[in-house]
Each structure stands twice: as C-alpha cells, then as structure tokens.
Amino acid sequence: MSYPDFFDTIKTVKVKDPLSQILGAFEEGEYEFSYLEIVKAAGHSCPTVAGAYIITQKALEALYPKERAIRGNIKVEFEESLEEGVAGVVANVISHITGATDKSGFKGLKGQFSRHSLMHFNADINASARFTRVDNSKSVDITYNPESVQPNPLMMELMSKLSSGDATPHEIKEFGTIWQDRVQRIFENIDVVVKVKVLS
C-alpha cells in the first residue's frame, strides 16, 4: 500500500473507550486513531477530511488536557444542517473518532454506553463545531479556516482538464501530488487554520 509519507508524521488521536473494554476489544479500552485510518474510512484525503481530523484532535486536547478522551462521552454540535456543504463529511470523521452520532448510533447496554443523540445540527453556535463533555458539560468551540493555506496555482487548471477528460496520465498524477501538498501544508500550519475557544 502506497500513500504520501506525511500521513505517518501526523499525531494520532488517543482515546479510552469503556464500551470496547467491557466487550473485550481493547485492553483497558485504550486505542488510537491515525490520519491514515481516517483516510481509509473516508476514501480520500482532502482539506475537509484533514480539517475534521484536526478540529477533533484540538477539541479533545482542550477537553481532556491531561488524559485520554473518553469515547462516547462527547457531544458534538454543528451550525450547519447535515445536508449543507461538507457537514456530512466532517460529521462522519468526527463520529469515527468520538463515537458520537445523531440517531443511528449504538443504543447502549441496558442504558449504558449509548452513542446515539450525541451529534446535533442547526445548532445556535458561531463555530465550525462545538464539542462538549457529557460528564461535566465543559465545552469548546473550534473554528477551521483552510483558506488561509492556498492551493498551488496549477490546481484549478489541472482540475479543469480532469473534469473535461483531457488530462494526461502525467497531469492526473501531478494533480494528486499538488492536492496532497496542500493537505500537508494545512497540517504544518494547524495553529493558523484552527482557532480554539474554551467556553467552560
């Protein structure tokens, strides 16, 4: 399996999942997500997938500064509707890491470990997403702005050729390279593209 080298340099997101411990999946319920795993689940790597990974990572670091985030203990809210823009893509990545879902998630074991109804859309917030710990109500707003890292000027020209079917094999490969170059630069400039505001 071949993929861009920078995937392996990206910090993983470490979690503790009481459900996985109870069901014998992971010792102590501890495991981690890598960006590569998220890319596999999404089927691609782009500024949106990268942004969803980054905002989740930064939110969990703010909510759990000295410990692993507890998967299943995090509520997530979006200002957008599920159908709007890239909200669905972002939500899928966040759900993969936090376990939070709207209505489709795990219903729990006799009232414990439920994951459904932890994700909400059309929320009254002014941020890309709000993450809240269920156990203590501590919240953090995360704002993601990928436009601060501009794409290679060749990208639009190559995208036009791809769309029309006129791109050569070399141009197709070049497009993928410069596409991932922007994703890499977003990760290298996290403090520029992401703003974190702890609310409580």
Side-chain angles (χ1 to χ4, degrees), residues 96-164:
H96 193 77
I97 298 172
T98 67
T101 66
D102 50 3
K103 298 178 181 179
S104 62
F106 182 60
K107 300 303 186 290
L109 295 174
K110 295 188 179 299
Q112 297 187 68
F113 312 117
S114 63
R115 306 290 170 82
H116 71 93
S117 301
L118 288 175
M119 184 170 281
H120 305 276
F121 299 86
N122 297 308
D124 184 20
I125 62 174
N126 185 26
S128 299
R130 175 174 293 171
F131 294 73
T132 302
R133 283 179 57 160
V134 174
D135 60 342
N136 63 12
S137 298
K138 182 178 180 180
S139 296
V140 59
D141 277 359
I142 308 289
T143 302
Y144 174 61
N145 177 26
E147 300 307 316
S148 56
V149 176
Q150 290 294 307
N152 186 304
L154 286 174
M155 183 176 290
M156 293 309 297
E157 177 185 340
L158 292 173
M159 184 178 289
S160 178
K161 288 187 175 183
L162 281 169
S163 299
S164 65

Side-chain angles (χ1 to χ4, degrees), residues 15-48:
V15 300
K16 185 176 180 69
D17 189 336
L19 176 62
S20 73
Q21 180 179 5
I22 290 293
L23 297 182
F26 295 98
E27 186 175 355
E28 303 297 327
E30 296 183 350
Y31 55 94
E32 57 193 274
F33 294 96
S34 68
Y35 182 63
L36 175 60
E37 290 172 316
I38 297 303
V39 170
K40 288 179 183 178
H44 66 288
S45 168
C46 68
T48 298

